[in-house]
Amino acid sequence: MILVFLARSCMVEVADIEQIAESVKRFTLVPVDAGTVLPFHPGAHVETCIGTRNVVLRRHYSLCSDADETRFYQIAVSKSKTSRGGSRYWHEQVIVGQRLEVSVPVNHLSLSRTARHHLFVAGGIGITPFISMMLALRRQGQSFELHMAAKSALACPFYDWLSGTFPGQVHFYFSTEGCRLTPNLLQDQLLGTHLYVCGPPGMMKEFRDCARAIGYPKQSVHMEAFTASQGGDNHPFRAFLEKQGRWVDVPGHQTLLAALREADVNVPSSCEVGGCGTCMVGVIDGDVDHRDFYLTGEEQAQGREILCCVSRAKKDRLVLDL
Amino acid sequence: MMRNRTAAGGGTRKDNLWAFLQCAHSLLFLCQDGQQESCSAVLQMASDLQIAVRTVTVEELKNELGSAKIGTRLYVCGDYQFVRGLENVLFSFGITNEELWSDVTGATVHPVLCAGCYHRNDPVAGSYIHCEMCGRMLEVSNHYSKKLDAVMGYIVLPEQLVFKSEEPQPSRTTPEGR
């Protein structure tokens, strides 16, 4: 058992590739040693390491297989028009039989054990972490519902499977049919409801803000980001590290996290899209341009913390508790 | 004296209560008999914020929770046993600390969990007790477990007993034969 927890990654082989929607492929990954995959909790993701000798691409993907399935992992990848290389490589280069490294499963989106009702809201490929969660809830006999937005049924990943597996619990909103998913559904939910949202940045912010306004407690709102918010302009700024007594320059093309690491400041990180809070550091002075989904509106307004992976300075300087 | 067990905040009681009620769309109000007078400030504040208040009894609580909507906040007031009993019901409905304000009146004495044998000793006042199961002398800490509704009782080692003997001794007697 100890070996399981010490293992940082394992080698897997692509056993199957299926086109499950327009621009979405599902990959089945089996362990190379023919044993079982490391167990995971519903909602977990892995970091995959793919690429050639010259370019190594590390990307996080939610596990969309059943958490009770020990023979393989499955991930679904949407080919992004603005791909930085990861999704394009998965769609165009990865073939059956290819081997790659995946990390141990990590979970920033655990199911609440005390919720009375679970309310899932997914935008497109944001459905992936919810599949294992809904399967687990169904086994436990717990109450849940899914609201999912996509361009159309053809573009909607897992459309047929979701319709057949969770009849009456899944609601689709297709923009080509003029049907829009709005936060109105957050109202009139039972006390004790937990909300889980995964989708594009704009949708996540809209649902988070609305949930807080309606009176959802902070610990009942769970967000999983898969892309960073684009935010405003990326002007360069300087960060003063108060404890170390030195300045770090953050150019416009670089994140604060990357600049800190380049300056040999070790800040832990995980999702790197402003969703998990791992890279949060204290702010002593300066205005923060918050671009994360982790801090609440009130916390962002207080400006005492910054998520270095996505957020920046509003002006030309920040003083950090580092 | 009235102490708040939940909805913690850094400001004064009035500020924290105001912040708590500001998030409410409606308020379920539950008060132990005889404590109504001490809750008048809460009701006044809810009225100022134009929050709909519904007073419920212990018997009505589960039914009310069954249909209560998100955005409802709960206020309970009474002695420790009363409040703790209600909290168990509320948490079983998925209510979080952020949605609950509990005012405890009177003294609060928690059961003590023995760090040696894990026996849950009945509440007793004092800094030191003897575990009623294993007989060890325990220092009563303020490490409270919501799940166990008990504070941790740390074992006092024999070499510490010399010093502890100068402290007030517990009123509890050790089990026979220990």
Side-chain angles (χ1 to χ4, degrees), chain B residues 15-51:
Chain B
D15 291 342
N16 292 340
L17 187 56
W18 185 271
F20 169 75
L21 288 175
Q22 266 195 323
C23 301
H25 290 197
S26 61
L27 182 71
L28 283 182
F29 180 90
L30 210 161
C31 187
Q32 192 174 22
D33 287 344
Q35 303 291 344
Q36 283 83 352
E37 202 169 312
S38 54
C39 309
S40 57
V42 177
L43 293 173
Q44 182 59 52
M45 202 178 279
S47 170
D48 293 345
L49 287 165
Q50 298 184 317
I51 296 166

PDB file of all heavy atoms in Angstrom, chain B residues 15-51:
ATOM      1  N   ASP B  15     -21.545  42.796  14.451  1.00  0.00           N
ATOM      2  CA  ASP B  15     -21.082  42.824  13.057  1.00  0.00           C
ATOM      3  C   ASP B  15     -21.232  41.449  12.403  1.00  0.00           C
ATOM      4  O   ASP B  15     -21.680  41.320  11.268  1.00  0.00           O
ATOM      5  CB  ASP B  15     -19.612  43.254  12.984  1.00  0.00           C
ATOM      6  CG  ASP B  15     -19.441  44.716  13.364  1.00  0.00           C
ATOM      7  OD1 ASP B  15     -20.450  45.446  13.346  1.00  0.00           O
ATOM      8  OD2 ASP B  15     -18.310  45.104  13.690  1.00  0.00           O
ATOM      9  N   ASN B  16     -20.804  40.417  13.147  1.00  0.00           N
ATOM     10  CA  ASN B  16     -20.861  39.070  12.583  1.00  0.00           C
ATOM     11  C   ASN B  16     -22.309  38.624  12.354  1.00  0.00           C
ATOM     12  O   ASN B  16     -22.613  37.974  11.350  1.00  0.00           O
ATOM     13  CB  ASN B  16     -20.170  38.077  13.523  1.00  0.00           C
ATOM     14  CG  ASN B  16     -18.675  38.324  13.594  1.00  0.00           C
ATOM     15  OD1 ASN B  16     -18.107  38.952  12.702  1.00  0.00           O
ATOM     16  ND2 ASN B  16     -18.054  37.851  14.653  1.00  0.00           N
ATOM     17  N   LEU B  17     -23.164  38.969  13.295  1.00  0.00           N
ATOM     18  CA  LEU B  17     -24.571  38.588  13.155  1.00  0.00           C
ATOM     19  C   LEU B  17     -25.202  39.324  11.969  1.00  0.00           C
ATOM     20  O   LEU B  17     -25.972  38.744  11.199  1.00  0.00           O
ATOM     21  CB  LEU B  17     -25.317  38.914  14.450  1.00  0.00           C
ATOM     22  CG  LEU B  17     -26.761  38.438  14.557  1.00  0.00           C
ATOM     23  CD1 LEU B  17     -26.852  36.929  14.348  1.00  0.00           C
ATOM     24  CD2 LEU B  17     -27.349  38.813  15.922  1.00  0.00           C
ATOM     25  N   TRP B  18     -24.830  40.574  11.818  1.00  0.00           N
ATOM     26  CA  TRP B  18     -25.326  41.369  10.690  1.00  0.00           C
ATOM     27  C   TRP B  18     -24.874  40.734   9.363  1.00  0.00           C
ATOM     28  O   TRP B  18     -25.663  40.558   8.431  1.00  0.00           O
ATOM     29  CB  TRP B  18     -24.809  42.813  10.801  1.00  0.00           C
ATOM     30  CG  TRP B  18     -25.355  43.739   9.768  1.00  0.00           C
ATOM     31  CD1 TRP B  18     -24.833  43.996   8.528  1.00  0.00           C
ATOM     32  CD2 TRP B  18     -26.559  44.523   9.852  1.00  0.00           C
ATOM     33  NE1 TRP B  18     -25.612  44.889   7.855  1.00  0.00           N
ATOM     34  CE2 TRP B  18     -26.682  45.228   8.636  1.00  0.00           C
ATOM     35  CE3 TRP B  18     -27.522  44.683  10.845  1.00  0.00           C
ATOM     36  CZ2 TRP B  18     -27.745  46.097   8.384  1.00  0.00           C
ATOM     37  CZ3 TRP B  18     -28.578  45.561  10.585  1.00  0.00           C
ATOM     38  CH2 TRP B  18     -28.680  46.247   9.378  1.00  0.00           C
ATOM     39  N   ALA B  19     -23.589  40.355   9.299  1.00  0.00           N
ATOM     40  CA  ALA B  19     -23.057  39.727   8.075  1.00  0.00           C
ATOM     41  C   ALA B  19     -23.764  38.401   7.809  1.00  0.00           C
ATOM     42  O   ALA B  19     -24.073  38.059   6.661  1.00  0.00           O
ATOM     43  CB  ALA B  19     -21.553  39.507   8.216  1.00  0.00           C
ATOM     44  N   PHE B  20     -24.036  37.668   8.875  1.00  0.00           N
ATOM     45  CA  PHE B  20     -24.725  36.374   8.746  1.00  0.00           C
ATOM     46  C   PHE B  20     -26.141  36.570   8.190  1.00  0.00           C
ATOM     47  O   PHE B  20     -26.564  35.872   7.268  1.00  0.00           O
ATOM     48  CB  PHE B  20     -24.779  35.703  10.119  1.00  0.00           C
ATOM     49  CG  PHE B  20     -25.672  34.503  10.197  1.00  0.00           C
ATOM     50  CD1 PHE B  20     -25.280  33.298   9.643  1.00  0.00           C
ATOM     51  CD2 PHE B  20     -26.903  34.570  10.841  1.00  0.00           C
ATOM     52  CE1 PHE B  20     -26.117  32.176   9.717  1.00  0.00           C
ATOM     53  CE2 PHE B  20     -27.732  33.469  10.922  1.00  0.00           C
ATOM     54  CZ  PHE B  20     -27.336  32.271  10.354  1.00  0.00           C
ATOM     55  N   LEU B  21     -26.850  37.539   8.734  1.00  0.00           N
ATOM     56  CA  LEU B  21     -28.244  37.746   8.313  1.00  0.00           C
ATOM     57  C   LEU B  21     -28.338  38.390   6.935  1.00  0.00           C
ATOM     58  O   LEU B  21     -29.312  38.183   6.211  1.00  0.00           O
ATOM     59  CB  LEU B  21     -28.978  38.607   9.341  1.00  0.00           C
ATOM     60  CG  LEU B  21     -29.290  37.909  10.664  1.00  0.00           C
ATOM     61  CD1 LEU B  21     -29.906  38.880  11.654  1.00  0.00           C
ATOM     62  CD2 LEU B  21     -30.232  36.724  10.456  1.00  0.00           C
ATOM     63  N   GLN B  22     -27.323  39.155   6.567  1.00  0.00           N
ATOM     64  CA  GLN B  22     -27.356  39.799   5.250  1.00  0.00           C
ATOM     65  C   GLN B  22     -27.410  38.784   4.112  1.00  0.00           C
ATOM     66  O   GLN B  22     -27.914  39.079   3.043  1.00  0.00           O
ATOM     67  CB  GLN B  22     -26.122  40.680   5.074  1.00  0.00           C
ATOM     68  CG  GLN B  22     -26.367  42.125   5.475  1.00  0.00           C
ATOM     69  CD  GLN B  22     -25.288  43.031   4.971  1.00  0.00           C
ATOM     70  OE1 GLN B  22     -24.131  42.662   4.952  1.00  0.00           O
ATOM     71  NE2 GLN B  22     -25.677  44.214   4.551  1.00  0.00           N
ATOM     72  N   CYS B  23     -26.858  37.590   4.351  1.00  0.00           N
ATOM     73  CA  CYS B  23     -26.858  36.545   3.322  1.00  0.00           C
ATOM     74  C   CYS B  23     -28.185  35.791   3.294  1.00  0.00           C
ATOM     75  O   CYS B  23     -28.383  34.936   2.437  1.00  0.00           O
ATOM     76  CB  CYS B  23     -25.740  35.545   3.586  1.00  0.00           C
ATOM     77  SG  CYS B  23     -24.118  36.282   3.625  1.00  0.00           S
ATOM     78  N   ALA B  24     -29.069  36.064   4.240  1.00  0.00           N
ATOM     79  CA  ALA B  24     -30.290  35.260   4.368  1.00  0.00           C
ATOM     80  C   ALA B  24     -31.413  35.780   3.486  1.00  0.00           C
ATOM     81  O   ALA B  24     -31.585  36.993   3.343  1.00  0.00           O
ATOM     82  CB  ALA B  24     -30.738  35.261   5.828  1.00  0.00           C
ATOM     83  N   HIS B  25     -32.139  34.872   2.878  1.00  0.00           N
ATOM     84  CA  HIS B  25     -33.377  35.227   2.192  1.00  0.00           C
ATOM     85  C   HIS B  25     -34.556  35.033   3.135  1.00  0.00           C
ATOM     86  O   HIS B  25     -35.575  35.685   3.024  1.00  0.00           O
ATOM     87  CB  HIS B  25     -33.553  34.392   0.929  1.00  0.00           C
ATOM     88  CG  HIS B  25     -32.575  34.766  -0.135  1.00  0.00           C
ATOM     89  ND1 HIS B  25     -32.728  34.431  -1.445  1.00  0.00           N
ATOM     90  CD2 HIS B  25     -31.432  35.476  -0.081  1.00  0.00           C
ATOM     91  CE1 HIS B  25     -31.720  34.908  -2.147  1.00  0.00           C
ATOM     92  NE2 HIS B  25     -30.920  35.539  -1.335  1.00  0.00           N
ATOM     93  N   SER B  26     -34.412  34.064   4.026  1.00  0.00           N
ATOM     94  CA  SER B  26     -35.398  33.874   5.088  1.00  0.00           C
ATOM     95  C   SER B  26     -34.675  33.242   6.277  1.00  0.00           C
ATOM     96  O   SER B  26     -33.552  32.735   6.132  1.00  0.00           O
ATOM     97  CB  SER B  26     -36.551  32.977   4.615  1.00  0.00           C
ATOM     98  OG  SER B  26     -36.051  31.709   4.271  1.00  0.00           O
ATOM     99  N   LEU B  27     -35.313  33.303   7.427  1.00  0.00           N
ATOM    100  CA  LEU B  27     -34.662  32.825   8.649  1.00  0.00           C
ATOM    101  C   LEU B  27     -35.586  31.875   9.390  1.00  0.00           C
ATOM    102  O   LEU B  27     -36.741  32.212   9.666  1.00  0.00           O
ATOM    103  CB  LEU B  27     -34.307  34.017   9.548  1.00  0.00           C
ATOM    104  CG  LEU B  27     -33.571  33.688  10.849  1.00  0.00           C
ATOM    105  CD1 LEU B  27     -32.141  33.247  10.564  1.00  0.00           C
ATOM    106  CD2 LEU B  27     -33.554  34.907  11.778  1.00  0.00           C
ATOM    107  N   LEU B  28     -35.065  30.688   9.685  1.00  0.00           N
ATOM    108  CA  LEU B  28     -35.785  29.770  10.579  1.00  0.00           C
ATOM    109  C   LEU B  28     -35.258  30.024  11.992  1.00  0.00           C
ATOM    110  O   LEU B  28     -34.054  29.955  12.238  1.00  0.00           O
ATOM    111  CB  LEU B  28     -35.528  28.315  10.188  1.00  0.00           C
ATOM    112  CG  LEU B  28     -36.276  27.763   8.971  1.00  0.00           C
ATOM    113  CD1 LEU B  28     -35.932  26.292   8.764  1.00  0.00           C
ATOM    114  CD2 LEU B  28     -37.775  27.930   9.131  1.00  0.00           C
ATOM    115  N   PHE B  29     -36.162  30.302  12.905  1.00  0.00           N
ATOM    116  CA  PHE B  29     -35.797  30.749  14.253  1.00  0.00           C
ATOM    117  C   PHE B  29     -36.267  29.710  15.260  1.00  0.00           C
ATOM    118  O   PHE B  29     -37.454  29.370  15.297  1.00  0.00           O
ATOM    119  CB  PHE B  29     -36.484  32.102  14.487  1.00  0.00           C
ATOM    120  CG  PHE B  29     -36.220  32.705  15.823  1.00  0.00           C
ATOM    121  CD1 PHE B  29     -35.132  33.556  16.012  1.00  0.00           C
ATOM    122  CD2 PHE B  29     -37.059  32.466  16.892  1.00  0.00           C
ATOM    123  CE1 PHE B  29     -34.901  34.138  17.244  1.00  0.00           C
ATOM    124  CE2 PHE B  29     -36.826  33.040  18.123  1.00  0.00           C
ATOM    125  CZ  PHE B  29     -35.746  33.878  18.304  1.00  0.00           C
ATOM    126  N   LEU B  30     -35.326  29.207  16.028  1.00  0.00           N
ATOM    127  CA  LEU B  30     -35.688  28.146  16.977  1.00  0.00           C
ATOM    128  C   LEU B  30     -35.040  28.441  18.329  1.00  0.00           C
ATOM    129  O   LEU B  30     -33.819  28.509  18.423  1.00  0.00           O
ATOM    130  CB  LEU B  30     -35.201  26.799  16.443  1.00  0.00           C
ATOM    131  CG  LEU B  30     -36.029  25.582  16.843  1.00  0.00           C
ATOM    132  CD1 LEU B  30     -35.744  24.429  15.922  1.00  0.00           C
ATOM    133  CD2 LEU B  30     -35.781  25.194  18.275  1.00  0.00           C
ATOM    134  N   CYS B  31     -35.866  28.616  19.342  1.00  0.00           N
ATOM    135  CA  CYS B  31     -35.349  29.065  20.633  1.00  0.00           C
ATOM    136  C   CYS B  31     -35.902  28.172  21.755  1.00  0.00           C
ATOM    137  O   CYS B  31     -37.085  27.840  21.762  1.00  0.00           O
ATOM    138  CB  CYS B  31     -35.785  30.518  20.824  1.00  0.00           C
ATOM    139  SG  CYS B  31     -35.082  31.270  22.255  1.00  0.00           S
ATOM    140  N   GLN B  32     -35.025  27.809  22.662  1.00  0.00           N
ATOM    141  CA  GLN B  32     -35.449  26.987  23.798  1.00  0.00           C
ATOM    142  C   GLN B  32     -36.397  27.795  24.694  1.00  0.00           C
ATOM    143  O   GLN B  32     -36.235  29.011  24.825  1.00  0.00           O
ATOM    144  CB  GLN B  32     -34.217  26.569  24.605  1.00  0.00           C
ATOM    145  CG  GLN B  32     -34.468  25.495  25.639  1.00  0.00           C
ATOM    146  CD  GLN B  32     -33.168  25.036  26.283  1.00  0.00           C
ATOM    147  OE1 GLN B  32     -32.167  25.758  26.261  1.00  0.00           O
ATOM    148  NE2 GLN B  32     -33.197  23.852  26.858  1.00  0.00           N
ATOM    149  N   ASP B  33     -37.344  27.105  25.288  1.00  0.00           N
ATOM    150  CA  ASP B  33     -38.293  27.791  26.175  1.00  0.00           C
ATOM    151  C   ASP B  33     -37.551  28.589  27.243  1.00  0.00           C
ATOM    152  O   ASP B  33     -36.591  28.108  27.836  1.00  0.00           O
ATOM    153  CB  ASP B  33     -39.207  26.760  26.868  1.00  0.00           C
ATOM    154  CG  ASP B  33     -40.208  26.185  25.884  1.00  0.00           C
ATOM    155  OD1 ASP B  33     -40.382  26.798  24.808  1.00  0.00           O
ATOM    156  OD2 ASP B  33     -40.777  25.122  26.183  1.00  0.00           O
ATOM    157  N   GLY B  34     -37.997  29.809  27.443  1.00  0.00           N
ATOM    158  CA  GLY B  34     -37.405  30.635  28.482  1.00  0.00           C
ATOM    159  C   GLY B  34     -36.252  31.498  27.997  1.00  0.00           C
ATOM    160  O   GLY B  34     -35.722  32.313  28.754  1.00  0.00           O
ATOM    161  N   GLN B  35     -35.823  31.309  26.774  1.00  0.00           N
ATOM    162  CA  GLN B  35     -34.673  32.078  26.269  1.00  0.00           C
ATOM    163  C   GLN B  35     -35.091  33.162  25.274  1.00  0.00           C
ATOM    164  O   GLN B  35     -34.231  33.856  24.713  1.00  0.00           O
ATOM    165  CB  GLN B  35     -33.682  31.133  25.562  1.00  0.00           C
ATOM    166  CG  GLN B  35     -33.177  29.995  26.404  1.00  0.00           C
ATOM    167  CD  GLN B  35     -32.271  30.467  27.527  1.00  0.00           C
ATOM    168  OE1 GLN B  35     -31.790  31.593  27.516  1.00  0.00           O
ATOM    169  NE2 GLN B  35     -32.060  29.623  28.522  1.00  0.00           N
ATOM    170  N   GLN B  36     -36.403  33.275  25.036  1.00  0.00           N
ATOM    171  CA  GLN B  36     -36.864  34.175  23.977  1.00  0.00           C
ATOM    172  C   GLN B  36     -36.378  35.606  24.154  1.00  0.00           C
ATOM    173  O   GLN B  36     -36.032  36.273  23.180  1.00  0.00           O
ATOM    174  CB  GLN B  36     -38.410  34.166  23.885  1.00  0.00           C
ATOM    175  CG  GLN B  36     -38.965  32.949  23.188  1.00  0.00           C
ATOM    176  CD  GLN B  36     -39.085  31.738  24.119  1.00  0.00           C
ATOM    177  OE1 GLN B  36     -38.615  31.765  25.252  1.00  0.00           O
ATOM    178  NE2 GLN B  36     -39.715  30.679  23.632  1.00  0.00           N
ATOM    179  N   GLU B  37     -36.331  36.045  25.394  1.00  0.00           N
ATOM    180  CA  GLU B  37     -35.971  37.450  25.638  1.00  0.00           C
ATOM    181  C   GLU B  37     -34.558  37.765  25.143  1.00  0.00           C
ATOM    182  O   GLU B  37     -34.292  38.824  24.606  1.00  0.00           O
ATOM    183  CB  GLU B  37     -36.085  37.742  27.137  1.00  0.00           C
ATOM    184  CG  GLU B  37     -36.272  39.220  27.422  1.00  0.00           C
ATOM    185  CD  GLU B  37     -36.639  39.449  28.878  1.00  0.00           C
ATOM    186  OE1 GLU B  37     -37.546  38.765  29.384  1.00  0.00           O
ATOM    187  OE2 GLU B  37     -35.989  40.295  29.476  1.00  0.00           O
ATOM    188  N   SER B  38     -33.662  36.773  25.321  1.00  0.00           N
ATOM    189  CA  SER B  38     -32.267  37.013  24.947  1.00  0.00           C
ATOM    190  C   SER B  38     -32.072  37.035  23.427  1.00  0.00           C
ATOM    191  O   SER B  38     -30.998  37.378  22.942  1.00  0.00           O
ATOM    192  CB  SER B  38     -31.362  35.933  25.566  1.00  0.00           C
ATOM    193  OG  SER B  38     -31.827  34.658  25.208  1.00  0.00           O
ATOM    194  N   CYS B  39     -33.107  36.658  22.686  1.00  0.00           N
ATOM    195  CA  CYS B  39     -32.995  36.611  21.220  1.00  0.00           C
ATOM    196  C   CYS B  39     -33.636  37.828  20.556  1.00  0.00           C
ATOM    197  O   CYS B  39     -33.689  37.886  19.328  1.00  0.00           O
ATOM    198  CB  CYS B  39     -33.657  35.361  20.653  1.00  0.00           C
ATOM    199  SG  CYS B  39     -33.128  33.851  21.435  1.00  0.00           S
ATOM    200  N   SER B  40     -34.114  38.762  21.358  1.00  0.00           N
ATOM    201  CA  SER B  40     -34.869  39.858  20.760  1.00  0.00           C
ATOM    202  C   SER B  40     -34.014  40.678  19.801  1.00  0.00           C
ATOM    203  O   SER B  40     -34.507  41.180  18.784  1.00  0.00           O
ATOM    204  CB  SER B  40     -35.445  40.757  21.857  1.00  0.00           C
ATOM    205  OG  SER B  40     -34.389  41.230  22.671  1.00  0.00           O
ATOM    206  N   ALA B  41     -32.715  40.814  20.094  1.00  0.00           N
ATOM    207  CA  ALA B  41     -31.840  41.600  19.216  1.00  0.00           C
ATOM    208  C   ALA B  41     -31.734  40.964  17.839  1.00  0.00           C
ATOM    209  O   ALA B  41     -31.661  41.664  16.824  1.00  0.00           O
ATOM    210  CB  ALA B  41     -30.461  41.721  19.849  1.00  0.00           C
ATOM    211  N   VAL B  42     -31.730  39.643  17.813  1.00  0.00           N
ATOM    212  CA  VAL B  42     -31.638  38.927  16.531  1.00  0.00           C
ATOM    213  C   VAL B  42     -32.895  39.191  15.703  1.00  0.00           C
ATOM    214  O   VAL B  42     -32.819  39.476  14.499  1.00  0.00           O
ATOM    215  CB  VAL B  42     -31.470  37.407  16.770  1.00  0.00           C
ATOM    216  CG1 VAL B  42     -31.441  36.660  15.450  1.00  0.00           C
ATOM    217  CG2 VAL B  42     -30.218  37.142  17.573  1.00  0.00           C
ATOM    218  N   LEU B  43     -34.036  39.100  16.364  1.00  0.00           N
ATOM    219  CA  LEU B  43     -35.300  39.323  15.654  1.00  0.00           C
ATOM    220  C   LEU B  43     -35.403  40.759  15.154  1.00  0.00           C
ATOM    221  O   LEU B  43     -35.887  41.014  14.050  1.00  0.00           O
ATOM    222  CB  LEU B  43     -36.474  38.985  16.569  1.00  0.00           C
ATOM    223  CG  LEU B  43     -36.589  37.501  16.918  1.00  0.00           C
ATOM    224  CD1 LEU B  43     -37.667  37.288  17.969  1.00  0.00           C
ATOM    225  CD2 LEU B  43     -36.889  36.672  15.682  1.00  0.00           C
ATOM    226  N   GLN B  44     -34.902  41.690  15.956  1.00  0.00           N
ATOM    227  CA  GLN B  44     -34.934  43.093  15.549  1.00  0.00           C
ATOM    228  C   GLN B  44     -34.055  43.309  14.319  1.00  0.00           C
ATOM    229  O   GLN B  44     -34.437  43.991  13.361  1.00  0.00           O
ATOM    230  CB  GLN B  44     -34.458  43.988  16.705  1.00  0.00           C
ATOM    231  CG  GLN B  44     -34.501  45.475  16.396  1.00  0.00           C
ATOM    232  CD  GLN B  44     -35.911  45.951  16.043  1.00  0.00           C
ATOM    233  OE1 GLN B  44     -36.859  45.702  16.790  1.00  0.00           O
ATOM    234  NE2 GLN B  44     -36.058  46.606  14.900  1.00  0.00           N
ATOM    235  N   MET B  45     -32.876  42.697  14.333  1.00  0.00           N
ATOM    236  CA  MET B  45     -31.959  42.848  13.205  1.00  0.00           C
ATOM    237  C   MET B  45     -32.556  42.239  11.934  1.00  0.00           C
ATOM    238  O   MET B  45     -32.447  42.805  10.845  1.00  0.00           O
ATOM    239  CB  MET B  45     -30.623  42.174  13.528  1.00  0.00           C
ATOM    240  CG  MET B  45     -29.457  42.699  12.714  1.00  0.00           C
ATOM    241  SD  MET B  45     -27.906  41.909  13.166  1.00  0.00           S
ATOM    242  CE  MET B  45     -27.437  42.829  14.618  1.00  0.00           C
ATOM    243  N   ALA B  46     -33.187  41.084  12.077  1.00  0.00           N
ATOM    244  CA  ALA B  46     -33.837  40.450  10.925  1.00  0.00           C
ATOM    245  C   ALA B  46     -34.942  41.339  10.379  1.00  0.00           C
ATOM    246  O   ALA B  46     -35.122  41.472   9.159  1.00  0.00           O
ATOM    247  CB  ALA B  46     -34.392  39.086  11.316  1.00  0.00           C
ATOM    248  N   SER B  47     -35.655  41.981  11.288  1.00  0.00           N
ATOM    249  CA  SER B  47     -36.721  42.886  10.877  1.00  0.00           C
ATOM    250  C   SER B  47     -36.145  44.086  10.130  1.00  0.00           C
ATOM    251  O   SER B  47     -36.662  44.504   9.090  1.00  0.00           O
ATOM    252  CB  SER B  47     -37.501  43.335  12.116  1.00  0.00           C
ATOM    253  OG  SER B  47     -38.390  44.370  11.777  1.00  0.00           O
ATOM    254  N   ASP B  48     -35.035  44.624  10.643  1.00  0.00           N
ATOM    255  CA  ASP B  48     -34.387  45.760   9.986  1.00  0.00           C
ATOM    256  C   ASP B  48     -33.944  45.400   8.565  1.00  0.00           C
ATOM    257  O   ASP B  48     -33.965  46.240   7.667  1.00  0.00           O
ATOM    258  CB  ASP B  48     -33.167  46.220  10.794  1.00  0.00           C
ATOM    259  CG  ASP B  48     -33.566  46.811  12.139  1.00  0.00           C
ATOM    260  OD1 ASP B  48     -34.774  47.121  12.302  1.00  0.00           O
ATOM    261  OD2 ASP B  48     -32.698  46.928  13.022  1.00  0.00           O
ATOM    262  N   LEU B  49     -33.525  44.162   8.400  1.00  0.00           N
ATOM    263  CA  LEU B  49     -33.050  43.722   7.073  1.00  0.00           C
ATOM    264  C   LEU B  49     -34.198  43.189   6.206  1.00  0.00           C
ATOM    265  O   LEU B  49     -33.960  42.716   5.095  1.00  0.00           O
ATOM    266  CB  LEU B  49     -31.985  42.627   7.249  1.00  0.00           C
ATOM    267  CG  LEU B  49     -30.624  43.103   7.746  1.00  0.00           C
ATOM    268  CD1 LEU B  49     -29.783  41.930   8.233  1.00  0.00           C
ATOM    269  CD2 LEU B  49     -29.887  43.844   6.643  1.00  0.00           C
ATOM    270  N   GLN B  50     -35.398  43.271   6.731  1.00  0.00           N
ATOM    271  CA  GLN B  50     -36.606  42.823   6.019  1.00  0.00           C
ATOM    272  C   GLN B  50     -36.505  41.363   5.592  1.00  0.00           C
ATOM    273  O   GLN B  50     -36.818  40.989   4.461  1.00  0.00           O
ATOM    274  CB  GLN B  50     -36.863  43.720   4.804  1.00  0.00           C
ATOM    275  CG  GLN B  50     -37.124  45.168   5.209  1.00  0.00           C
ATOM    276  CD  GLN B  50     -37.482  46.043   4.018  1.00  0.00           C
ATOM    277  OE1 GLN B  50     -36.853  45.943   2.970  1.00  0.00           O
ATOM    278  NE2 GLN B  50     -38.479  46.879   4.195  1.00  0.00           N
ATOM    279  N   ILE B  51     -36.008  40.540   6.522  1.00  0.00           N
ATOM    280  CA  ILE B  51     -35.908  39.099   6.276  1.00  0.00           C
ATOM    281  C   ILE B  51     -37.128  38.412   6.885  1.00  0.00           C
ATOM    282  O   ILE B  51     -37.474  38.671   8.046  1.00  0.00           O
ATOM    283  CB  ILE B  51     -34.621  38.534   6.918  1.00  0.00           C
ATOM    284  CG1 ILE B  51     -33.394  39.149   6.239  1.00  0.00           C
ATOM    285  CG2 ILE B  51     -34.560  37.024   6.831  1.00  0.00           C
ATOM    286  CD1 ILE B  51     -32.115  38.932   7.007  1.00  0.00           C
TER     287      ILE B  51
END
